Amino acid sequence: MTLTRGAQAALAVLVVGLICRLFGGSVEWLQSWPSVFVLPVTDWINSGVGWLLDVFKPIARGMSWLLGFPMSWVGTILGQTPWPLVIGLTTALGWHLGGLRMAALGGIGLGFVLLSGYWAEGMNTLALVAVSVPLALLTGLAIGIFAFEYPRVKGAVNAVLDVMQTVPTFAYLTPLLVLFGFGPVVGLIASAIYAAPPMARNVLLGLERVESEIREAAVMSGGTRLQRLFLVELPAGASQIMVGVNQSLMAALSMVIIAAVIGGFQDIGWEVLLTMRKAQFGQSFMAGLVIVIFAIVIDRYSATLAGPRQKRDRRVTWGIVGVGVVLAVMATLVGSNAAEISAFDKVAEVVDTSVGAFTAANGAALDSLKNGTMFFGLLPLRIGLSDAVLPFTWGFKWTVTHSLVLYGIAIALACVMAMRGRLAAGVVLVILVGMVEVGIAQLPWPFVLAGAAALGWVSSGWKLARLVVVLLLLILLSGLWDRALLSLYLSGASVFACALVGGLLGLWSAVSRTAWMIIQPICDLLQTIPLFVFLIPVLMFFQIGEFSAFLAICMYAIVPMIRYTRHGLTSTPEEMIEAARSSGAGKWQEMFEVRAPYAAPTILLGLNQTILYAFAMLVIAALIGTTGLGQSIYLALGKADVGLGLTAGAAMAILALVADRLVQGFAEERRKALGL
């Protein structure tokens, strides 16, 4: 019998796992990477980068001083402008961009910000965004044009952009803190760096999609290269470039909130962080809602720039502005100050009281949910059944006999699957059982390397397998392997939960329009909420801990799985559906035998996005009690340890990059199998 590539890879990994399991107790290096081979990468970076930072620190401090001026000017303008005029201008812009509904969104949204009592903090946040976004857009535009004009560097530019988008956000902050010092300018620069890659990618994509006929017409008209680029090609790709503007705005807003950790600036991010630390969940909830309002308004306004817009009556636009001016004059005359307006103080008190009452009344149920998930789900995945199953939690102690019975059942099922021609699936089942029995955080390093290499070989061949092994070896050499496995465990558990629940919700949305009408606005809302805000609801009910981090990651990462699953299942060509129906296929046969196989590449791309989202949120979740690389990055930030921050950030980026390449490989293989 000829073994398939998948069966060969699975058997090789199984052999490596058996060797590690049988001899790991006597041969220590099979279980743990020898400490003699651990390189002091953190110290090298600190010593190597230290002098570099010292050289550039005066330049950086000068830039910080210069950037402080525009930020101060914008902050002063927004802070001193009467609130009716700001709301009027926002409402008028909404009317100009999208009509009545958009105008109502802007007016009501900023009205809520005013009544929340966070007007001054909100204007400070908008000042940071207003200064950082132009920097990000100009940088992204320059990078995108450079990569388009010089195709030889396109691969390198894309690789740099991949790294910038996979390196955790907190990792940016550590070297920036050392260079630019403590203050709001650090948040501004971090936001610009984080928001530039989406703009660069969309500029490059927009220029590549310009039709050849347009380019030829520009050449025939005798224009210079700069004229053709700025007068023809960039305007022709404007729709795609505007998508980049939207994404950059949202990225900048999200990063501004995160940068509040070291900014010390009186903005909304700082308010959220401060109230969370004081366990003032009512105030934290209100401040979080302000962030959500800003995110929704900015997202909706900027998204309209990417598509066609109807012309609006300019008289209405100027009429709204005029009303704002009149109300601003009246507010100034009567001495109305936005800082004195706070209509929701009692709401915050009610939230605190309600949360306290709810947790007091349902504390046993909440603890049962948290402890049940930890003891019977997360903990066995982390340290394995052999260590997690105890009389205190499960009612009995796991013994060697239990392991033998578990492996016996798994082997029996694998034999049945092999007799049915599913040898690879049977071997994978045995491997998964062994991983659960041992625990992801305690997996031997040779087994992890062999498993990752096997996945790379099956999905894309030896080139990806070698790349995966080399990247993971870098983590081993850095001495961060144990922390990397902890991050892999929590992100893996979150991705599995998102894939299961998100896949089911996507399936439900695909078969029911009513379900999609309910789920779609929830997905839209979750995608506009900055990462930081997801911590608030889980802290309200479950306090600090790994379970809270798990929930926050799942809330943030589940949306791509829902959207891509539904999109894949509903985009099957009609001719395939008609052929299935004419052959007598039922509704569910059509779904699982026709739509699902065709949707597999799209669903895998959704899984890929879910993985990247989970890693992004993993570092933010370090604020509420995770272990692993995220905690190391956060600790490095507190100590201003550039070496540890960069090393741990690079390790996190490597894990995300490996997962990204593996899933993309399987998606591409599936597309080729379908002839797409």
Side-chain angles (χ1 to χ4, degrees):
M1 181 178 68
T2 304
L3 296 179
T4 64
R5 176 180 282 197
Q8 295 176 45
L11 286 171
V13 175
L14 181 61
V15 170
V16 174
L18 283 173
I19 293 173
C20 293
R21 193 75 174 95
L22 294 175
F23 302 104
S26 56
V27 183
E28 186 178 352
W29 64 266
L30 279 176
Q31 186 66 37
S32 302
W33 179 258
S35 57
V36 67
F37 294 125
V38 173
L39 303 178
V41 180
T42 298
D43 296 335
W44 289 354
I45 292 177
N46 278 328
S47 59
V49 175
W51 70 269
L52 188 64
L53 294 178
D54 290 338
V55 170
F56 285 99
K57 188 180 293 185
I59 301 174
R61 296 299 167 92
M63 289 178 58
S64 177
W65 178 74
L66 289 174
L67 287 172
F69 287 105
M71 202 170 74
S72 176
W73 297 336
V74 174
T76 301
I77 292 171
L78 289 173
Q80 298 300 320
T81 302
W83 60 264
L85 182 55
V86 175
I87 295 177
L89 290 172
T90 304
T91 307
L93 179 60
W95 166 263
H96 178 72
L97 292 175
L100 182 60
R101 293 180 62 181
M102 198 74 73
L105 173 66
I108 295 173
L110 285 201
F112 176 86
V113 175
L114 174 69
L115 296 176
S116 70
Y118 286 114
W119 182 263
E121 292 82 0
M123 294 304 102
N124 287 336
T125 297
L126 289 183
L128 284 170
V129 173
V131 179
S132 63
V133 167
L135 289 175
L137 295 182
L138 289 174
T139 304
L141 180 66
I143 293 173
I145 292 174
F146 178 72
F148 177 74
E149 291 294 311
Y150 300 95
R152 291 183 178 180
V153 303
K154 178 182 172 182
V157 169
N158 281 326
V160 172
L161 294 177
D162 286 341
V163 171
M164 290 178 68
Q165 290 192 299
T166 52
V167 170
T169 49
F170 274 1
Y172 288 153
L173 300 182
T174 308
L176 292 178
L177 176 64
V178 175
L179 275 172
F180 294 95
F182 186 86
V185 173
V186 183
L188 185 155
I189 296 171
S191 299
I193 294 173
Y194 185 65
M199 183 63 181
R201 289 189 185 280
N202 281 279
V203 168
L204 178 59
L205 186 60
L207 289 173
E208 289 176 339
R209 287 184 175 180
V210 175
E211 296 179 3
S212 57
E213 293 83 359
I214 296 177
R215 299 186 195 279
E216 292 172 2
V219 173
M220 295 296 293
S221 67
T224 65
R225 179 64 197 124
L226 288 178
Q227 288 175 326
R228 297 199 306 270
L229 177 65
F230 287 99
L231 299 180
V232 178
E233 295 177 8
L234 285 174
S239 179
Q240 188 66 45
I241 293 171
M242 287 300 113
V243 174
V245 173
N246 171 260
Q247 294 179 358
S248 292
L249 277 165
M250 299 306 294
L253 179 62
S254 179
M255 190 63 185
V256 162
I257 306 304
I258 295 168
V261 175
I262 61 170
F265 192 47
Q266 295 302 313
D267 60 353
I268 292 296
W270 181 252
E271 287 296 322
V272 172
L273 182 64
L274 194 63
T275 50
M276 280 173 52
R277 286 174 174 173
K278 294 179 179 179
Q280 296 174 344
F281 294 123
Q283 291 292 338
S284 182
F285 177 73
M286 294 303 301
L289 282 180
V290 171
I291 297 174
V292 173
I293 291 295
F294 279 143
I296 292 174
V297 172
I298 291 173
D299 177 60
R300 295 296 182 268
Y301 276 31
S302 58
T304 60
L305 299 175
R309 301 193 309 274
Q310 296 181 2
K311 288 187 177 181
R312 307 292 173 182
D313 191 340
R314 293 189 177 182
R315 292 174 297 178
V316 177
T317 303
W318 289 111
I320 296 172
V321 174
V323 171
V325 171
V326 171
L327 293 177
V329 172
M330 294 174 60
T332 303
L333 292 175
V334 301
S336 177
N337 189 350
E340 299 173 354
I341 301 175
S342 182
F344 295 146
D345 287 343
K346 290 186 178 180
V347 175
E349 295 177 7
V350 169
V351 170
D352 278 329
T353 304
S354 300
V355 170
F358 181 83
T359 53
N362 301 278
L366 294 175
D367 287 341
S368 177
L369 174 62
K370 178 170 67 174
N371 294 334
T373 305
M374 285 298 302
F375 292 146
F376 302 110
L378 294 178
L379 196 59
L381 280 176
R382 178 178 178 178
I383 62 176
L385 291 170
S386 55
D387 291 330
V389 177
L390 299 170
F392 172 70
T393 53
W394 290 63
F396 65 94
K397 181 173 177 56
W398 190 271
T399 63
V400 176
T401 303
H402 293 106
S403 296
L404 293 175
V405 171
L406 180 64
Y407 282 121
I409 295 173
I411 292 171
L413 290 174
C415 291
V416 173
M417 297 171 74
M419 288 187 292
R420 295 184 176 182
R422 308 279 307 263
L423 176 61
V427 177
V428 169
L429 174 64
V430 176
I431 292 172
L432 292 176
V433 167
M435 291 173 63
V436 174
E437 196 265 341
V438 173
I440 295 176
Q442 300 181 148
L443 290 175
W445 64 267
F447 173 80
V448 176
L449 290 185
L455 289 173
W457 179 60
V458 172
S459 65
S460 297
W462 286 113
K463 183 177 180 180
L464 181 58
R466 288 193 297 269
L467 174 65
V468 166
V469 170
V470 170
L471 290 175
L472 293 179
L473 278 173
L474 293 177
I475 300 179
L476 274 169
L477 291 170
S478 70
L480 295 173
W481 184 256
D482 292 340
R483 302 178 195 179
L485 288 184
L486 287 171
S487 297
L488 186 63
Y489 134 74
L490 188 55
S491 59
S494 304
V495 168
F496 176 78
C498 289
L500 180 62
V501 177
L504 291 174
L505 291 176
L507 173 62
W508 186 28
S509 302
V511 300
S512 171
R513 291 184 178 180
T514 304
W516 182 235
M517 289 176 62
I518 298 171
I519 294 173
Q520 184 180 19
I522 297 174
C523 290
D524 291 342
L525 177 63
L526 291 176
Q527 282 198 306
T528 54
I529 297 176
L531 285 74
F532 213 72
V533 181
F534 284 96
L535 305 182
I536 298 173
V538 296
L539 283 178
M540 283 182 176
F541 300 106
F542 298 104
Q543 289 78 48
I544 290 176
E546 200 166 88
F547 178 71
S548 296
F550 170 76
L551 284 183
I553 295 170
C554 290
M555 289 169 61
Y556 179 66
I558 195 172
V559 175
M561 199 66 209
I562 298 173
R563 287 191 181 278
Y564 279 81
T565 300
R566 179 193 173 275
H567 177 69
L569 293 175
T570 56
S571 61
T572 307
E574 284 298 323
E575 55 269 21
M576 294 180 65
I577 303 299
E578 292 174 3
R581 290 173 180 172
S582 62
S583 65
K587 182 178 181 180
W588 292 109
Q589 285 179 313
E590 172 192 316
M591 179 63 68
F592 290 105
E593 296 179 13
V594 180
R595 291 183 183 272
Y598 187 85
T602 303
I603 295 174
L604 284 172
L605 289 178
L607 178 63
N608 178 48
Q609 290 296 306
T610 295
I611 292 171
L612 295 178
Y613 277 39
F615 276 109
M617 189 65 192
L618 188 62
V619 183
I620 309 301
L623 290 168
I624 59 173
T626 63
T627 54
L629 294 173
Q631 186 185 52
S632 299
I633 295 170
Y634 184 58
L635 291 175
L637 180 61
K639 299 177 181 177
D641 189 338
V642 177
L644 178 58
L646 291 179
T647 306
M652 185 78 83
I654 285 173
L655 292 179
L657 193 62
V658 167
D660 173 65
R661 292 297 183 266
L662 291 176
V663 175
Q664 282 193 20
F666 280 108
E668 183 62 29
E669 184 270 337
R670 189 60 195 160
R671 277 195 293 269
K672 289 180 180 178
L674 292 171
L676 299 177

